[in-house]
Amino acid sequence: MPPKPVPTKASQTSSKTPSRQRRPQKQQPAPLADRLKRLFTSLCAQVDGGHFTNAIRTCNKILRLDPGDRDALRTKLFLLLQTEQYDTALTLIAEINEQCLFERSYALYRLQREEDSVQLLKEIKSIGKEAEQRGAMHLEAQLSYRQGSYQSSLDIYNELLETADPSSDEHADILTNLPASQSHQDFITTTFMQAMSQLPSSIASTLESAPPPVLSQPASILAPVEELTKKPEAVEFQKKLRTKRVPKGIIPGVSPPPDPERWLKKSERTSYTQGKKRRGAGGGATQGAAVGAESGTVSAAASHGGKTGGKGKGGKKK
C-alpha cells in the first residue's frame, strides 16, 4: 500500500504572525469616577494614619483631575494648617473663593499678625456659625494670653469649660491651658504684691517710680565679644592632647617624632639606597668548573668526548 500523505497544518501556520508584527494593545485608562474614588480612598487612609505630606500630594492629584472639588480643597487647607504651611494656606483660601474666616484668622495668628486675626474674630462672632464661634473663642483666649490679658483669657476658658463635653479632647485642652492663665494672673495680683510688700519702703518706692529696665548686655560681656570680632587671629585655642590616641610608651614632647615617610614604600623613601650585587661570592663550584690541578684533567677529558684511557666500567679489553 502506498504511504499516506501527511496533512499540513495550514490553518495553524496561517494564523501565526511574526513577533515583529505584534503590537501591544494600549490599555485604556479607567473612568474618571473610578480614579477619583481610588484617590479618595487613599486620601482617607493617609489622613487617618497621620501621613499629612503624602495626603497633600494625593489632594494635588485629585485637583488635577477635578480642580473644583470642594472636598479636596477643604482637606488640603486642613493639611496645610496641620503641617504649619500658613502662607500657602492663605494663598489657597484666596483661590477657594470662600470666606474661611476661622482658618484665615488662625493662619494670621500663627504668623504673628495679631491685629488682622482679631478683626476676623470679630466678624466670626457677628456672622459665623456656632462651631466657628466656639473655635473663635479658643483662638481669642490664646490671643489674650499672648498679649498679656490673662484675666480675659481666664474668663473665656471658664466659659468654654462649662459647656464642654468631659469626654472630649476639647475638655482636656481647656484643662491644660486654664492653669497657665491662672498662674500668670495670680502672680500679677497676689504673688508680686506680696513680694513688694516685704521689701523696705525706700526700695519699693524706687522700683515703682523707676522706668522699666532696658534689656542690654553688660560691658563685661561686650568687651570680649568686641575683641573676638576685631582681632580673631590673636585668639589662640589650646587643644588638649587626647591621651587615648597616644601610643603606649610615647611621652608627648619627650619622645622623638615619628618618621614622616613611614607611610611610603621603602623604595620611595629618601634614605633608601639600592644594594650592590655580590660578585665572586663562594657558593660552591658550578657545573663544569675546575679547581687546582684537576682542571687540566677535566678539560682534557672534555676535549676527547669525555672518554678516558684504561679499563673502565663496561670498556673493551685490548
Side-chain angles (χ1 to χ4, degrees):
M1 294 178 63
K4 295 182 179 179
V6 180
T8 59
K9 299 181 180 179
S11 60
Q12 295 181 2
T13 55
S14 61
S15 62
K16 292 184 179 180
T17 56
S19 59
R20 295 181 181 179
Q21 297 179 1
R22 295 178 183 176
R23 295 180 180 178
Q25 296 180 358
K26 295 183 179 181
Q27 186 176 3
Q28 296 181 357
L32 180 61
D34 295 343
R35 295 169 66 185
L36 290 174
K37 183 178 179 180
R38 194 180 307 118
L39 289 173
F40 270 110
T41 302
S42 301
L43 179 61
C44 293
Q46 290 167 352
V47 172
D48 293 339
H51 307 289
F52 295 149
T53 304
N54 294 334
I56 292 175
R57 297 172 183 170
T58 307
C59 288
N60 293 333
K61 293 179 182 179
I62 295 173
L63 293 174
R64 290 193 199 101
L65 299 176
D66 188 3
D69 194 297
R70 292 295 175 185
D71 295 332
L73 290 171
R74 299 288 297 187
T75 306
K76 183 179 179 180
L77 177 59
F78 164 77
L79 294 170
L80 290 174
L81 294 176
Q82 290 292 326
T83 53
E84 300 182 357
Q85 302 181 41
Y86 303 114
D87 292 324
T88 310
L90 291 174
T91 306
L92 182 62
I93 290 172
E95 297 175 358
I96 292 177
N97 295 327
E98 292 183 4
Q99 291 183 349
C100 300
L101 295 177
F102 176 74
E103 289 82 0
R104 191 188 307 171
S105 178
Y106 179 76
L108 293 172
Y109 160 74
R110 296 304 299 266
L111 292 173
Q112 307 293 331
R113 296 167 60 181
E114 287 87 359
E115 296 180 0
D116 298 336
S117 180
V118 170
Q119 294 295 330
L120 291 174
L121 288 177
K122 293 179 180 179
E123 296 183 18
I124 294 173
K125 288 182 178 180
S126 59
I127 61 175
K129 300 178 183 179
E130 183 179 358
E132 291 182 350
Q133 290 181 358
R134 194 167 185 83
M137 291 178 66
H138 280 275
L139 188 55
E140 184 180 2
Q142 295 180 15
L143 277 167
S144 300
Y145 181 84
R146 178 185 288 181
Q147 295 173 353
S149 302
Y150 303 114
Q151 185 60 47
S152 175
S153 175
L154 189 61
D155 295 338
I156 295 173
Y157 280 129
N158 285 326
E159 183 180 353
L160 290 170
L161 187 62
E162 294 177 356
T163 56
D165 185 8
S167 61
S168 62
D169 295 336
E170 180 188 8
H171 190 271
D173 293 338
I174 295 172
L175 292 179
T176 302
N177 297 328
L178 186 61
S181 301
Q182 185 68 52
S183 62
H184 282 80
Q185 185 63 25
D186 292 342
F187 174 79
I188 293 173
T189 56
T190 59
T191 308
F192 175 74
M193 298 305 295
Q194 291 176 0
M196 290 293 292
S197 63
Q198 295 175 1
L199 294 174
S201 58
S202 59
I203 298 177
S205 60
T206 305
L207 291 175
E208 291 177 354
S209 60
V214 179
L215 297 177
S216 61
Q217 295 181 349
S220 60
I221 299 178
L222 292 175
V225 173
E226 292 178 357
E227 292 178 0
L228 289 174
T229 56
K230 291 181 180 179
K231 298 179 180 180
E233 67 278 2
V235 180
E236 297 181 357
F237 298 96
Q238 296 181 357
K239 296 183 179 180
K240 296 182 180 180
L241 293 176
R242 296 180 63 178
T243 56
K244 294 182 179 179
R245 294 187 178 181
V246 178
K248 186 177 180 181
I250 300 298
I251 302 175
V254 178
S255 301
D259 186 9
E261 298 181 354
R262 62 186 181 278
W263 306 114
L264 300 177
K265 297 180 180 179
K266 290 185 178 181
S267 58
E268 297 178 358
R269 299 181 187 179
T270 55
S271 60
Y272 175 77
T273 55
Q274 189 175 4
K276 298 180 180 181
K277 295 182 180 180
R278 299 173 63 186
R279 297 179 179 178
T286 57
Q287 185 176 4
V291 181
E294 296 178 358
S295 60
T297 309
V298 175
S299 59
S303 62
H304 288 83
K307 295 181 180 181
T308 58
K311 298 180 180 178
K313 186 177 179 179
K316 296 182 180 180
K317 294 181 179 181
K318 291 183 181 180

